[in-house]
Structures are given as structure tokens and as C-alpha cells.
């Protein structure tokens, strides 16, 4: 670490820590406290990811880590800027910026900038600024070759403000918050937009107070075993408040999500534990054919409960899609190919001409059980939901597929039929078409007692 003697020993160059925020905190700010393992993991996500989202229990030290990340960002980059924002000025000033002021004060004269109430400045084009989204500044002026945007209590920040922050195209967008919502950017960063973010979760049981031997060693401000026991007695372990405040788990059943996050993650774990190609069951192929320019054609190959592969094609014409389907069908000896008949025309007809074992599926058609389901799409996905909840499916750990599955919602018609959110409505929420999820549902078409797919 270089020192400028003419400047009273003040540090002027922390470039060696550019890719190591944990070392920066430990060596440049040792008197301001050291990160526990989850905080260190959280900090390291900032090195090689453009978007990071951390959901944590109450009092898990998220703001402690972000405050030091902001100092690291400004101190290790020339012409660097950082915007620190949250739902209220109090949250920014009295929580996150207080942590920054403490770290700065404990560093003595080691850091290069000057600390003010909600501004940390090294030079005219090198500073951090804190403000709330309830009184936002004009964001258009905050551009930099090295721009960081940190959002604390991100679960409480409105989507219009999140969209404005994203339009700045920051080099690093770092969100932290609690699992208290089931809508908005923060929630979606752990669900439908999970493939765009590096995510992590910090539960109470990950924090230092659950690794200590006695009460004398407990860290102030963090949840204690006694706190957790009180919450368990007050709410119960399955209550949404306990899930959010203690386990940092989103209450997935709120908002009528089709699948729980836990059931999707469990299915991915089963896939890793179970090798493919060892089952005696037939190979089956689900094909969701693209309808629009941005949609993708997806081939989902499965054997028994295990998905073997998800093959994605974009911009492919009918003959290219047919060629890929035939190639997979012949390679694996596929017994049945289920094709969404609502896609680009001709795929089903051409496969029939080639005498392939194809079944056309019209997801908008009448279901087997019309009293319970609006259409076949609802019946397909409800069968898929049952598989997930009963642990009878294993899928690759594909963040895009996971996000699409977690974005699906269901509701009821006036006749009390189950209906699944339409693709067009999903797009209106700003989310991509669930092409992989649709191919998965097709691959797991329900079978009648006679063994005939309906």
C-alpha cells in the first residue's frame, strides 16, 4: 500500500486491492472490524459480477458489508463513483452511511478521501453520494467509467426507481434487502430474473452468534439464539414472518406462485445426485416452438423423472427445428415427441411426414378435467407442480429455467377453474417468455391409466 508522506501519511493508491475487497477490509480497515464468512462471500460477489442481490435475515450485517464495499470501490478505481440509495433518507444516513463514517474514522489517515454527511470524496470525478429514493436527485448526471450503485432495503424500493438506477448502466448494481415482498425488482432478482444476478442468502443460522459458545461472545445488533426461539414461539417455523425474518426465505406461496423456491432447488439437487442414462424408462421429448422473434424454440429431453437436456434455438425456421428434433429423436430412440401446436406452422406436419412419433399439444384446448382446469396449459403445469412438490422430478441447475418456473403464477376463474398466467401477461410484467418451462411441461405430459398421452 503506497503512502504519500507529503500528505501526512495518507494512502493514495489501493490499486492492489482492486479485485480483493476482503483483503482491503482486513488490511486497510482492520480496526473497523473483520467480516465473518458470509460477509466475505458477499463482498467477493462484487468482483466479477455486474449485478448482485443479497437477501438476509434481520440483523445479518448486510449494511456493514456494503458500507465497506463502497469505500473499496472508490479507493481502488480512478474516476470511480458510487450511488448509495434506499427507501428513506434515515436508512441511508443513520444505518449505511453511519457504518461508512465509522470505518473511515477507525482507518485514521489511511484512506484518501474526505468524509461528509452523505458524501465521500477523493476528487471531483471520484466520490460516493448517498440519498433516498423518496427524494431522489437527478440521476442523469451520475455516469462514470466505474459506476457502482448500492441499494439498501431494496425490497422497499419502487420499481420506477429501480428502473431509473438500471438505466445508468452501472458497472456494479448491488442490492440488499429482506424477504418481505413477492413483487418488484428485488424479489424478481431471486426468482424470474435470477439468471441476471449473482444471488446469495444469509439466514440467522449463518451469522456469528450461532457459532458462539456463550452469551458473553455474542455480537450486538445481530439475531441471537434466544431471539430466534422467541420468534419461533410467537409465529411458528412455517409462518411467513419467521421464514423472512429468520431464514431469509421468500414466502413463495404468497401471490399464488405455482412453485416454491425450495421445490425448484431440491429438483436441481436431485439432478446432480442422479446420473442420467441408467433408467429403463423410455426417452420423451417436449418441444416448445417459438412464436415471436424474441421467443426461443426449446427441446426438453427426459427419461423417467430426470431431464437429460434443454436444447435452445433462436431465430430457427421450420426445417431447422424439424432437423434438430429428428436428430435428437433418432440419437436417443425417443418414444414420443410432444410439440406445442401454437408455434410457427409446419413443424408437426413435417414430423408426421417423416413418420416421427409426434403428438400435437394445443395448450389452449379443453383439458381432461374441465371442472378443475381452464385449459390444457393449466392442467399440464398443475401436473408439473405436483411432481415438484412430491419430489418426482430432477432438473438441471439452469438459472434461466429456475427463474421461469418461479415466475409462473396461477389463479381461479369465476367457475373456480385453475388457470395459469398467460405468456402475454408474463411479458407485460417485463419478463421473458417462459419457453424452457413450457418445454419442460410438454416433456412431462400426463399419462392416462392406459398409458396413452392425452
Amino acid at each position: 500500500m503506497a503512502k504519500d508522506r507529503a500528505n501526512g501519511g495518507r494512502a493514495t493508491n489501493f490499486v492492489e486491492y482492486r479485485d480483493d475487497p476482503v483483503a482491503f477490509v482486513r488490511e486497510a480497515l482492520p480496526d473497523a472490524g473483520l467480516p465473518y464468512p458470509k460477509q466475505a462471500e458477499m463482498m467477493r460477489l462484487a468482483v466479477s459480477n455486474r449485478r448482485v442481490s443479497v437477501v438476509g435475515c434481520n440483523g445479518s450485517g448486510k449494511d456493514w458489508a456494503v458500507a465497506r464495499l463502497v469505500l473499496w470501490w472508490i479507493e481502488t478505481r480512478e474516476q470511480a463513483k458510487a450511488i448509495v440509495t434506499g427507501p428513506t433518507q434515515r436508512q441511508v444516513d443513520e444505518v449505511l452511511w453511519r457504518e461508512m463514517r465509522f470505518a473511515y474514522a477507525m482507518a485514521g489517515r489511511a484512506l484518501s478521501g474526505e468524509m461528509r454527511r452523505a458524501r465521500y470524496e477523493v476528487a471531483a470525478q471520484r466520490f460516493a453520494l448517498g440519498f433516498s429514493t423518496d427524494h431522489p436527485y437527478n440521476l442523469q448526471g451520475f455516469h462514470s467509467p466505474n459506476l457502482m450503485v448500492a441499494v439498501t432495503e431494496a425490497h422497499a424500493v419502487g420499481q420506477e426507481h429501480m428502473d431509473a438506477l438500471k438505466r445508468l448502466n452501472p458497472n456494479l448494481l448491488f442490492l440488499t434487502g429482506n424477504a418481505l415482498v413477492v413483487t418488484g425488482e428485488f424479489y424478481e432478482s431471486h426468482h424470474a430474473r435470477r439468471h441476471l444476478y449473482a444471488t446469495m442468502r444469509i439466514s440467522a443460522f449463518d451469522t456469528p452468534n450461532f457459532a458462539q459458545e456463550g452469551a458473553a461472545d455474542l455480537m450486538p445488533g445481530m439475531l441471537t439464539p434466544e431471539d430466534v426461539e422467541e420468534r419461533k414461539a410467537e409465529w411458528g417455523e412455517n409462518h411467513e414472518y419467521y421464514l423472512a425474518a429468520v431464514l431469509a426465505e421468500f414466502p413463495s406461496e404468497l401471490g399464488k406462485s405455482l412453485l416454491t423456491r425450495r421445490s425448484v432447488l431440491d429438483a436441481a439437487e436431485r439432478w446432480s445426485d442422479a446420473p442420467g442414462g441408467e433408467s429403463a424408462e423410455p426417452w420423451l421429448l417436449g418441444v416448445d416452438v417459438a412464436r415471436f422473434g424474441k421467443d426461443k424454440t426449446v427441446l426438453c429431453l427426459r427419461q423417467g423423472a430426470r431431464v437429460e437436456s434443454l436444447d435452445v434455438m433462436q431465430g430457427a425456421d421450420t426445417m431447422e427445428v424439424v432437423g434438430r428434433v429428428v436428430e435428437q429423436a433418432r440419437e436417443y430412440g425417443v418414444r414420443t415427441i410432444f410439440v406445442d401446436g401454437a408455434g410457427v406452422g409446419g413443424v408437426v406436419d413435417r414430423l408426421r411426414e417423416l413418420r416421427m412419433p409426434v403428438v400435437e399439444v394445443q395448450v389452449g384446448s379443453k383439458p381432461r378435467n374441465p371442472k378443475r382446469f381452464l385449459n390444457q396449459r393449466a392442467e399440464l403445469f398443475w401436473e408439473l407442480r405436483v411432481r415438484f412438490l412430491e419430489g418426482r422430478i430432477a432438473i438441471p441447475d439452469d438459472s434461466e429455467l429456475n427463474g421461469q418456473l418461479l415466475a409462473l403464477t396461477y389463479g381461479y376463474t369465476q367457475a373456480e377453474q385453475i388457470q395459469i398466467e398467460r405468456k402475454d401477461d408474463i411479458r407485460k410484467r417485463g419478463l421473458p417468455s417462459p419457453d424452457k418451462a413450457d418445454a419442460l411441461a410438454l416433456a412431462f405430459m400426463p399419462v392416462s391409466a392406459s398409458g396413452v398421452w392425452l
Side-chain angles (χ1 to χ4, degrees):
M1 179 172 58
K3 295 281 187 180
D4 181 0
R5 295 182 182 277
N7 196 27
R10 187 183 293 278
T12 58
N13 188 0
F14 287 97
V15 68
E16 65 187 281
Y17 297 113
R18 182 184 178 93
D19 295 325
D20 197 344
V22 177
F24 172 80
V25 171
R26 287 174 175 166
E27 297 173 20
L29 307 172
D31 294 333
L34 301 177
Y36 70 88
K38 277 291 185 178
Q39 286 175 323
E41 179 185 345
M42 175 178 166
M43 290 177 176
R44 292 190 181 101
L45 290 178
V47 176
S48 56
N49 297 286
R50 289 181 59 86
R51 292 187 181 185
V52 177
S53 184
V54 179
V55 60
C57 66
N58 295 343
S60 54
K62 301 182 297 295
D63 289 319
W64 186 101
V66 171
R68 285 149 180 80
L69 276 176
V70 172
L71 291 173
W72 161 75
W73 185 267
I74 299 300
E75 291 287 348
T76 60
R77 290 158 172 78
E78 294 293 333
Q79 296 188 3
K81 295 179 184 178
I83 294 173
V84 181
T85 189
T88 65
Q89 195 65 38
R90 176 192 172 280
Q91 176 66 27
V92 175
D93 287 349
E94 299 302 322
V95 181
L96 202 147
W97 216 268
R98 175 178 288 181
E99 285 288 355
M100 284 183 61
R101 289 195 297 269
F102 174 75
Y104 175 81
M106 295 304 293
R109 297 185 61 82
L111 301 182
S112 350
E114 296 293 336
M115 181 65 70
R116 301 170 190 170
R117 182 186 173 206
R119 186 181 182 94
Y120 178 71
E121 184 170 349
V122 175
Q125 296 300 318
R126 193 176 174 191
F127 60 84
L129 181 66
F131 56 85
S132 68
T133 55
D134 58 350
H135 293 91
Y137 284 50
N138 183 348
L139 295 176
Q140 294 181 357
F142 297 106
H143 296 286
S144 170
N146 296 292
L147 178 63
M148 173 184 183
V149 173
V151 186
T152 180
E153 299 291 301
H155 60 274
V157 174
Q159 189 61 43
E160 62 177 320
H161 296 304
M162 284 289 194
D163 290 340
L165 293 168
K166 289 192 293 183
R167 283 196 294 270
L168 294 175
N169 298 314
N171 305 81
L172 173 62
L173 174 62
F174 206 103
L175 311 182
T176 61
N178 302 120
L180 298 172
V181 295
V182 292
T183 59
E185 186 72 24
F186 185 68
Y187 174 81
E188 298 295 1
S189 69
H190 290 265
H191 293 84
R193 298 191 180 108
R194 189 180 172 205
H195 61 292
L196 300 176
Y197 286 83
T199 61
M200 69 173 290
R201 179 174 67 92
I202 307 175
S203 83
F205 300 99
D206 296 321
T207 60
N209 286 347
F210 287 81
Q212 307 295 346
E213 294 184 359
D217 298 321
L218 294 178
M219 295 187 66
M222 289 190 171
L223 284 175
T224 67
E226 184 179 10
D227 293 330
V228 169
E229 288 302 316
E230 286 180 356
R231 284 159 174 75
K232 186 187 299 184
E234 181 179 359
W235 297 326
E237 291 183 85
N238 295 320
H239 195 282
E240 61 191 64
Y241 292 155
Y242 182 89
L243 294 174
V246 176
L247 301 182
E249 290 185 358
F250 291 93
S252 301
E253 292 304 314
L254 292 181
K256 295 183 179 175
S257 296
L258 183 70
L259 295 169
T260 66
R261 184 172 180 268
R262 183 71 266 162
S263 67
V264 173
L265 296 179
D266 286 346
E269 290 178 7
R270 284 192 293 273
W271 191 89
S272 300
D273 295 337
E278 297 184 358
S279 172
E281 296 189 62
W283 290 95
L284 304 171
L285 187 63
V287 183
D288 182 60
V289 183
R291 292 189 295 163
F292 304 106
K294 291 184 179 180
D295 289 2
K296 300 171 184 176
T297 292
V298 181
L299 283 63
C300 178
L301 180 69
R302 67 112 165 175
Q303 185 182 41
R306 189 179 195 273
V307 173
E308 178 66 22
S309 64
L310 289 162
D311 192 7
V312 180
M313 306 174 69
Q314 187 162 17
D317 60 25
T318 298
M319 298 313 294
E320 288 176 301
V321 173
V322 169
R324 188 75 64 87
V325 170
V326 171
E327 179 184 353
Q328 283 203 12
R330 289 174 175 168
E331 179 181 353
Y332 289 91
V334 169
R335 175 184 289 184
T336 310
I337 305 165
F338 304 99
V339 180
D340 179 6
V344 293
V347 173
V348 172
D349 291 341
R350 182 55 182 155
L351 288 172
R352 285 172 176 162
E353 289 175 2
L354 295 172
R355 298 185 181 279
M356 302 302 293
V358 61
V359 172
E360 181 176 6
V361 182
Q362 292 289 347
V363 296
S365 65
K366 184 178 179 180
R368 289 179 299 166
N369 187 348
K371 288 186 177 180
R372 191 177 185 203
F373 301 102
L374 174 65
N375 51 28
Q376 195 168 60
R377 174 176 169 81
E379 194 165 32
L380 279 177
F381 273 106
W382 201 259
E383 293 278 353
L384 194 65
R385 167 190 165 94
V386 172
R387 279 186 171 270
F388 272 95
L389 295 179
E390 293 181 353
R392 296 187 291 110
I393 187 170
I395 62 173
D397 189 10
D398 182 312
S399 60
E400 189 173 27
L401 172 62
N402 293 351
Q404 291 178 13
L405 290 170
L406 291 169
L408 292 168
T409 63
Y410 72 94
Y412 294 90
T413 67
Q414 290 184 344
E416 297 186 356
Q417 299 163 301
I418 295 171
Q419 60 180 351
I420 302 298
E421 185 179 18
R422 298 184 310 137
K423 279 189 173 185
D424 290 343
D425 292 332
I426 292 174
R427 292 190 190 94
K428 289 176 183 178
R429 288 201 280 142
L431 302 176
S433 177
D435 304 314
K436 288 185 176 180
D438 283 353
L440 183 72
L442 289 166
F444 284 89
M445 275 284 295
V447 184
S448 70
S450 63
V452 177
W453 282 274
L454 299 174

